[in-house]
Amino acid sequence: VIEQPTNPTASLATRFVLLMDYVGIALFTVVGTQVAGDAGFNLVGSTLVGCVAGLGGRSISNVLYGSSSPLLNKLPGVFWARNPLYLAIALGSSLVTFFVWPVYCEKISTYYLETVIGKENLEEDGNVGVEAFVEACERDEEFLNTIRIGMQPTVKMNESREMSARELFHQIDADDSRTICANELKSLVQERVRNSWEMYAIDTAALASITVGAVHGAIGMGLHPLVAATSGITFSLGGILRDVFCGRDLAVASQSYAFATGAGSTVYVLTRELALRGYPMLAIFRIFLSMGTTVSLRYWEYVRGEPLIGSMHGRGT
């Protein structure tokens, strides 16, 4: 049974799903471009990785489930070929991120160097000495947290919290030059943002958005509920492609990517089945419940500080 909007509320829910589809693609593209840029990719490479991250998961779904449905009279081809607006959103998001992200990192690192540490406390060559670093950490708790977060995954957060500012300095000063150069500080800022709750929240918002779009599209194609429940997982595969391109650990395997999106899409499918059997389950309620499930599981993982599901031969790391 394929539902069609029968009232203004249902029509609003359909438009909201489309909006979340666009938002999810834009957010995945932003993160993909940022990761590729930090990995040393140029404009073309970063844009490619960004678009692959944003469009790749759903393109794989088109291959697995079929790109069109006779019931909906869709054109053949992957979704962004049938509707170039998706490609335009991905390209635009990627280009903006490529040029804005370095400016942001530069401004933050300059702020820490010139304001938090202080120009007058820098060495003659502009580098940061151990005493200036320690004093800045003692004065500014936010700066200290930035350093701790930026040192992940080389040093785990719980380990860095037990280290003094002087010990952190010597951990960063791997070449024993007794100074930290501006580029090293900039790299720490980049790592801080990459490992921050803000970036985790962007990833979570993207996952919640594409989960709704994925399951709604699968149901609209007339797929079996069991298959539709897996659609959220396949939509998140753009994150795998991003990590493969950039040589990173696969987030879908080590984090709650697959679990959270799979749970969110399953909740949507189950509540829809209840609606078809006469229970009062409005479409907009199902959408927010599905997104809430995905967000809640991701938040739970973040608070725990470790994956929700352990590996086969022990707990995940």
Side-chain angles (χ1 to χ4, degrees), residues 35 37 71 84 104 135 137 154 186 214 217 240 291:
V35 171
L71 296 173
Y104 171 78
E135 290 176 6
C137 290
T154 304
K186 184 177 180 180
I240 286 186
M291 295 179 67

Side-chain angles (χ1 to χ4, degrees), residues 253-255 259 301 304 306-317:
S254 60
Q255 297 182 14
F259 181 48
E301 179 187 63
R304 279 165 51 96
E306 60 183 25
L308 296 177
I309 302 177
S311 61
M312 178 184 292
H313 298 292
R315 298 183 62 81
T317 56

Side-chain angles (χ1 to χ4, degrees), residues 94-150:
S94 185
L95 290 173
V96 170
T97 302
F98 183 84
F99 290 106
V100 171
W101 170 244
V103 175
Y104 171 78
C105 290
E106 186 69 32
K107 285 186 176 297
I108 294 297
S109 58
T110 300
Y111 166 77
Y112 283 135
L113 278 172
E114 299 183 356
T115 304
V116 177
I117 297 174
K119 286 184 178 181
E120 68 280 3
N121 296 322
L122 299 178
E123 303 293 317
E124 292 183 0
D125 56 4
N127 293 339
V128 183
V130 58
E131 297 303 328
F133 179 85
V134 171
E135 290 176 6
C137 290
E138 292 174 349
R139 286 196 312 267
D140 195 313
E141 186 70 21
E142 182 182 349
F143 175 68
L144 179 58
N145 286 332
T146 294
I147 297 300
R148 286 170 171 164
I149 296 173

Side-chain angles (χ1 to χ4, degrees), residues 126-129 133 169 172-173 177-182 184-185 188:
N127 293 339
V128 183
F133 179 85
F169 179 90
I172 300 169
D173 182 28
S177 63
R178 302 186 68 81
T179 60
I180 299 175
C181 69
E184 287 176 321
L185 185 60
L188 286 172

Side-chain angles (χ1 to χ4, degrees), residues 34-43 46 98 246:
Q34 176 255 314
V35 171
D38 288 347
F41 287 48
N42 61 19
L43 174 61
S46 296
F98 183 84
C246 299

